Amino acid sequence: MKNVLEINNVTKNYGDFRALNNVSIHIPKGSVYGLLGPNGAGKTSLIRIINQITMADSGTVFLDGDLLTPKHTADIGYMPEERGLYKSMKVGEQALYLAQLKGLSKSEAKKRLKYWFEKFDIMAWWNKKIEELSKGMAQKVQFIVTVMHNPKLLIFDEPFSGFDPINAQIIAKEILQLRDEGATIIFSTHRMESVEEMCDEIALIDKSNKILDGTLNAIKNEFRTNTFQIGVQTENPKELEALLKENFEVFPSDFKLLGNEYTTNVKLSATAAANDLLSLLASKGQVQHFLELIPSANDIFIQAVHKNQ
Amino acid sequence: MGKLKLIIQREFIAKVRNKSFIIMTFLSPLIMLAMGALVFFLMKKNDQKIKEIVYVDNSGLFSKEDFKDTKTLHYKDFTSLGLEATKKKVEKGDFFGALIIPKNDSLAILASSVEFYSKDSPGISIINSLENKIETKLRNVQLNYFGIDINKINASRIRSDIKMFNFSGEEFSKLINGLKIGVGAITGYLLMMFVIIYGTSVMRSVIEEKTSRIIEIIVSSVKPFQLMLGKIIGNATAGLLQFFIWGIIIFIITTVLSSFFGVDVVEMQTSAISAQQLETAKQITGANKLQLVIQEILRLPILKLFLLFIFYFLGGYMLYSSLFAAVGAAVDNETDTQQFMLPIMLPLILAVYVGFATVISDPHGPISVAFSYIPLTSPIVMLMRVPFGVLWYELVISMTLLIVTFVFMVWFAAKIYRVGILMYGKKPTYKDLYKWIKYKG
């Protein structure tokens, strides 16, 4: 798959502080790419470099195969975490202005805006000032001005903050639809459940370094511990436990099943197969529950950052 | 450049649509004129009140002839009433003051032992006029004593009126000097006002974008430098429009007023000009003098003046407003701007003071010349000097320095601006600003 964005060995210093250290990230076309990391890790610095708000001290950024130049601002849509619009400017005028700054002609901008305003059913807000709108309403306008010029690359920093669950759902749907129409999405968030839901690939930045990247599945594979959650209906749980401890690593579990099953977590060695465990359990009782503990994005985030301490 | 145009347009429209701008535009000329009329009216009223002064002349040297009533001062001879009774009358408030002239054989001692009693302290002009009367009288007495005919002295008084020429053999009048001072002072003052009003307006607009957080969206589409430039130009355009409207309104009002009431408003305004200039104006009488003045105005290099005005006006405004923009970018709210405003306002105010203090007395003196070179003060001081004729090489030095400084300052301001607009939280120190300048890209 072709990469729409290639960031190679980017380093950025602010005075003595190194915000990004030799960071390389490749983002495939048509993907939703999660840019994760603790607060202050350097995500915003990286996003600002992609947006050419600041320049990298060293390293290169290619958009669609071309070295990034000011003309590319028209190919990028950016919704910063700290949202903002001119408070005393009318919604329509403001959107037109921002669209024109992105290089659209006035008539084209009007056409696009009409499409989006009708889609969100907010045509009535056109002549209202931002200060007259609620926060959620302003966020919708913010979303529209981010996407209205049909950019190749969309960067959303915490896109769902400020939206109620219903509107967050609508925005998520729109983002995925934009991806289906060919846009590539960079998605920076701390909400790991939305990473699981939406991201194809992720990169994890911590303390100015990229410490992890790849497809979500590959990373999960890398972080899986071969640990299974089991629940067995047996007459002699003590005997089963002893047997398990003899062959595997056993951790107490805290999950509940419906009956009085014996439950625990079992970690297999790297060479053991799940079937070995399963056949042992089946010989001792009725297997009610057998689930591999696949690390969540949340677990991976915490583990990777801890490891990097 | 399309984006710059868009930014200028937006800034202009945002400024012009602002309610306070509209109110300021249409109300301030009215307020200014009303204030002028009020001051004029009060001055008239103040002068119209007649003050009665009584005098007790124990020397016997003075007569009614020496104390002639004027429009505002009336004199009464209370010599017969005696010293104490007169003082009491004044103390009661029947009269404004009492002038007591004692008896003394020595005129010199007499001259310095005259006393004036009053409840309210008299204005300096009253005392001056009384001293003048006493001095004149005593001198005449002295002259008489020496056997000199006073009439001969009066007849021998001659007024000199020096006609001034330059080396191209053209005659110039004194009134034109007043005119030059007026033009210089007005343009210099205008520039200062413009810089302060629209510089702070640029600053506010920067702070607004910062606090509303739209700045990050804007700079993801345009370069921060473009945005800063757009703001500066947009605000200046709005400012020029405002000045233009003010000019029109004032012109209309003065025309209407003078045709309605037959009052010559221009004369009303010039009455505020210093007495010295009026004196000069009075001396120039007769049609040929007036012609001379008109000739001379026409002889002023109007086009050159105009071009230099534009250059220094724009140069000064751009230089200062880029600094204002940098200040706006460095802080999160307007209250934090004060510590950074002082170093900007200082040279501006200094320029106006130096201009008024030195250029008017000697437009080509060393201080005037120096300050018309120093880039932060040169726009104002040079504008004040220009009507008096400035040598070409002085202009070249001043303009070159201004351009070089302008480029450097805009670069410097843009650096702070670019970093500052994305910084939130703690109020930066000068040390922080220095660090920002060193940041790359």
Side-chain angles (χ1 to χ4, degrees), chain B residues 49-67:
Chain B
K49 202 184 160 203
I50 294 166
K51 292 194 171 78
E52 283 190 307
I53 291 174
V54 297
Y55 61 90
V56 176
D57 174 26
N58 290 330
S59 68
L61 293 172
F62 292 82
S63 66
K64 189 85 193 148
E65 275 295 292
D66 299 310
F67 291 103

mmCIF file of all heavy atoms in Angstrom, chain B residues 49-67:
data_model
loop_
_atom_site.group_PDB
_atom_site.id
_atom_site.type_symbol
_atom_site.label_atom_id
_atom_site.label_comp_id
_atom_site.label_asym_id
_atom_site.label_seq_id
_atom_site.Cartn_x
_atom_site.Cartn_y
_atom_site.Cartn_z
ATOM 1 N N LYS B 49 -15.907 88.505 32.285
ATOM 2 C CA LYS B 49 -16.180 88.968 33.638
ATOM 3 C C LYS B 49 -15.271 90.166 33.946
ATOM 4 O O LYS B 49 -14.058 90.084 33.833
ATOM 5 C CB LYS B 49 -15.919 87.836 34.630
ATOM 6 C CG LYS B 49 -16.655 88.043 35.930
ATOM 7 C CD LYS B 49 -16.322 86.978 36.934
ATOM 8 C CE LYS B 49 -16.669 87.481 38.294
ATOM 9 N NZ LYS B 49 -15.926 86.788 39.322
ATOM 10 N N ILE B 50 -15.896 91.286 34.320
ATOM 11 C CA ILE B 50 -15.113 92.504 34.562
ATOM 12 C C ILE B 50 -14.613 92.510 35.999
ATOM 13 O O ILE B 50 -15.357 92.221 36.937
ATOM 14 C CB ILE B 50 -15.978 93.750 34.286
ATOM 15 C CG1 ILE B 50 -16.321 93.787 32.782
ATOM 16 C CG2 ILE B 50 -15.272 95.018 34.729
ATOM 17 C CD1 ILE B 50 -17.417 94.743 32.438
ATOM 18 N N LYS B 51 -13.315 92.782 36.145
ATOM 19 C CA LYS B 51 -12.735 92.858 37.481
ATOM 20 C C LYS B 51 -12.516 94.331 37.820
ATOM 21 O O LYS B 51 -11.959 95.082 37.029
ATOM 22 C CB LYS B 51 -11.408 92.102 37.510
ATOM 23 C CG LYS B 51 -11.572 90.601 37.358
ATOM 24 C CD LYS B 51 -10.289 89.881 37.725
ATOM 25 C CE LYS B 51 -10.512 88.395 37.796
ATOM 26 N NZ LYS B 51 -10.565 87.764 36.452
ATOM 27 N N GLU B 52 -12.960 94.721 39.006
ATOM 28 C CA GLU B 52 -12.774 96.113 39.429
ATOM 29 C C GLU B 52 -11.612 96.195 40.400
ATOM 30 O O GLU B 52 -11.562 95.475 41.387
ATOM 31 C CB GLU B 52 -14.049 96.629 40.083
ATOM 32 C CG GLU B 52 -15.112 96.977 39.052
ATOM 33 C CD GLU B 52 -16.294 97.707 39.679
ATOM 34 O OE1 GLU B 52 -16.846 97.185 40.653
ATOM 35 O OE2 GLU B 52 -16.628 98.797 39.202
ATOM 36 N N ILE B 53 -10.673 97.066 40.061
ATOM 37 C CA ILE B 53 -9.499 97.236 40.915
ATOM 38 C C ILE B 53 -9.474 98.680 41.421
ATOM 39 O O ILE B 53 -9.680 99.622 40.642
ATOM 40 C CB ILE B 53 -8.218 96.916 40.124
ATOM 41 C CG1 ILE B 53 -8.186 95.407 39.819
ATOM 42 C CG2 ILE B 53 -6.963 97.331 40.895
ATOM 43 C CD1 ILE B 53 -7.073 94.989 38.932
ATOM 44 N N VAL B 54 -9.284 98.806 42.707
ATOM 45 C CA VAL B 54 -9.212 100.160 43.260
ATOM 46 C C VAL B 54 -7.762 100.476 43.581
ATOM 47 O O VAL B 54 -6.981 99.564 43.842
ATOM 48 C CB VAL B 54 -10.079 100.290 44.527
ATOM 49 C CG1 VAL B 54 -11.532 100.063 44.185
ATOM 50 C CG2 VAL B 54 -9.628 99.312 45.600
ATOM 51 N N TYR B 55 -7.405 101.736 43.508
ATOM 52 C CA TYR B 55 -6.025 102.062 43.848
ATOM 53 C C TYR B 55 -5.946 103.243 44.817
ATOM 54 O O TYR B 55 -6.780 104.137 44.802
ATOM 55 C CB TYR B 55 -5.184 102.309 42.590
ATOM 56 C CG TYR B 55 -5.627 103.451 41.711
ATOM 57 C CD1 TYR B 55 -5.127 104.740 41.917
ATOM 58 C CD2 TYR B 55 -6.525 103.237 40.669
ATOM 59 C CE1 TYR B 55 -5.526 105.793 41.111
ATOM 60 C CE2 TYR B 55 -6.925 104.271 39.865
ATOM 61 C CZ TYR B 55 -6.426 105.552 40.084
ATOM 62 O OH TYR B 55 -6.824 106.579 39.281
ATOM 63 N N VAL B 56 -4.958 103.170 45.681
ATOM 64 C CA VAL B 56 -4.702 104.248 46.634
ATOM 65 C C VAL B 56 -3.310 104.783 46.312
ATOM 66 O O VAL B 56 -2.325 104.069 46.459
ATOM 67 C CB VAL B 56 -4.756 103.715 48.093
ATOM 68 C CG1 VAL B 56 -4.391 104.831 49.076
ATOM 69 C CG2 VAL B 56 -6.119 103.142 48.388
ATOM 70 N N ASP B 57 -3.270 106.006 45.797
ATOM 71 C CA ASP B 57 -1.995 106.553 45.348
ATOM 72 C C ASP B 57 -1.507 107.613 46.328
ATOM 73 O O ASP B 57 -1.942 108.767 46.292
ATOM 74 C CB ASP B 57 -2.175 107.137 43.942
ATOM 75 C CG ASP B 57 -0.919 107.855 43.485
ATOM 76 O OD1 ASP B 57 0.172 107.496 43.985
ATOM 77 O OD2 ASP B 57 -1.034 108.759 42.638
ATOM 78 N N ASN B 58 -0.631 107.202 47.206
ATOM 79 C CA ASN B 58 -0.115 108.152 48.181
ATOM 80 C C ASN B 58 1.059 108.948 47.641
ATOM 81 O O ASN B 58 1.494 109.926 48.237
ATOM 82 C CB ASN B 58 0.318 107.422 49.462
ATOM 83 C CG ASN B 58 -0.901 106.902 50.213
ATOM 84 O OD1 ASN B 58 -1.976 107.500 50.137
ATOM 85 N ND2 ASN B 58 -0.739 105.784 50.898
ATOM 86 N N SER B 59 1.574 108.528 46.484
ATOM 87 C CA SER B 59 2.736 109.207 45.925
ATOM 88 C C SER B 59 2.330 110.478 45.189
ATOM 89 O O SER B 59 3.115 111.392 45.032
ATOM 90 C CB SER B 59 3.462 108.275 44.954
ATOM 91 O OG SER B 59 2.645 108.071 43.815
ATOM 92 N N GLY B 60 1.076 110.477 44.749
ATOM 93 C CA GLY B 60 0.589 111.635 44.012
ATOM 94 C C GLY B 60 1.136 111.725 42.604
ATOM 95 O O GLY B 60 0.952 112.719 41.911
ATOM 96 N N LEU B 61 1.798 110.687 42.157
ATOM 97 C CA LEU B 61 2.404 110.712 40.821
ATOM 98 C C LEU B 61 1.417 110.272 39.737
ATOM 99 O O LEU B 61 1.561 110.611 38.573
ATOM 100 C CB LEU B 61 3.627 109.789 40.779
ATOM 101 C CG LEU B 61 4.823 110.204 41.627
ATOM 102 C CD1 LEU B 61 5.873 109.102 41.636
ATOM 103 C CD2 LEU B 61 5.426 111.498 41.083
ATOM 104 N N PHE B 62 0.436 109.451 40.134
ATOM 105 C CA PHE B 62 -0.444 108.829 39.131
ATOM 106 C C PHE B 62 -1.724 109.621 38.958
ATOM 107 O O PHE B 62 -2.177 110.315 39.875
ATOM 108 C CB PHE B 62 -0.779 107.396 39.548
ATOM 109 C CG PHE B 62 0.409 106.488 39.496
ATOM 110 C CD1 PHE B 62 1.324 106.448 40.543
ATOM 111 C CD2 PHE B 62 0.630 105.685 38.395
ATOM 112 C CE1 PHE B 62 2.420 105.628 40.497
ATOM 113 C CE2 PHE B 62 1.727 104.847 38.348
ATOM 114 C CZ PHE B 62 2.616 104.809 39.386
ATOM 115 N N SER B 63 -2.295 109.532 37.793
ATOM 116 C CA SER B 63 -3.568 110.214 37.545
ATOM 117 C C SER B 63 -4.524 109.215 36.912
ATOM 118 O O SER B 63 -4.149 108.073 36.607
ATOM 119 C CB SER B 63 -3.344 111.381 36.588
ATOM 120 O OG SER B 63 -2.955 110.866 35.329
ATOM 121 N N LYS B 64 -5.734 109.624 36.696
ATOM 122 C CA LYS B 64 -6.748 108.782 36.051
ATOM 123 C C LYS B 64 -6.255 108.318 34.680
ATOM 124 O O LYS B 64 -6.595 107.215 34.216
ATOM 125 C CB LYS B 64 -8.044 109.584 35.943
ATOM 126 C CG LYS B 64 -9.257 108.800 35.491
ATOM 127 C CD LYS B 64 -9.925 108.098 36.658
ATOM 128 C CE LYS B 64 -10.930 107.066 36.135
ATOM 129 N NZ LYS B 64 -11.084 105.909 36.979
ATOM 130 N N GLU B 65 -5.460 109.159 34.038
ATOM 131 C CA GLU B 65 -4.918 108.860 32.713
ATOM 132 C C GLU B 65 -4.106 107.560 32.704
ATOM 133 O O GLU B 65 -4.076 106.841 31.710
ATOM 134 C CB GLU B 65 -3.999 110.006 32.261
ATOM 135 C CG GLU B 65 -4.702 111.171 31.607
ATOM 136 C CD GLU B 65 -5.357 110.777 30.302
ATOM 137 O OE1 GLU B 65 -4.623 110.477 29.335
ATOM 138 O OE2 GLU B 65 -6.620 110.716 30.253
ATOM 139 N N ASP B 66 -3.430 107.299 33.830
ATOM 140 C CA ASP B 66 -2.545 106.133 33.892
ATOM 141 C C ASP B 66 -3.317 104.840 34.103
ATOM 142 O O ASP B 66 -2.810 103.755 33.876
ATOM 143 C CB ASP B 66 -1.530 106.300 35.021
ATOM 144 C CG ASP B 66 -0.656 107.520 34.793
ATOM 145 O OD1 ASP B 66 -0.129 107.634 33.663
ATOM 146 O OD2 ASP B 66 -0.551 108.346 35.721
ATOM 147 N N PHE B 67 -4.539 104.966 34.611
ATOM 148 C CA PHE B 67 -5.351 103.751 34.845
ATOM 149 C C PHE B 67 -6.579 103.796 33.961
ATOM 150 O O PHE B 67 -7.673 104.150 34.398
ATOM 151 C CB PHE B 67 -5.742 103.648 36.322
ATOM 152 C CG PHE B 67 -4.571 103.363 37.217
ATOM 153 C CD1 PHE B 67 -3.990 104.369 37.983
ATOM 154 C CD2 PHE B 67 -4.051 102.083 37.296
ATOM 155 C CE1 PHE B 67 -2.909 104.101 38.798
ATOM 156 C CE2 PHE B 67 -2.969 101.815 38.119
ATOM 157 C CZ PHE B 67 -2.386 102.825 38.870
#
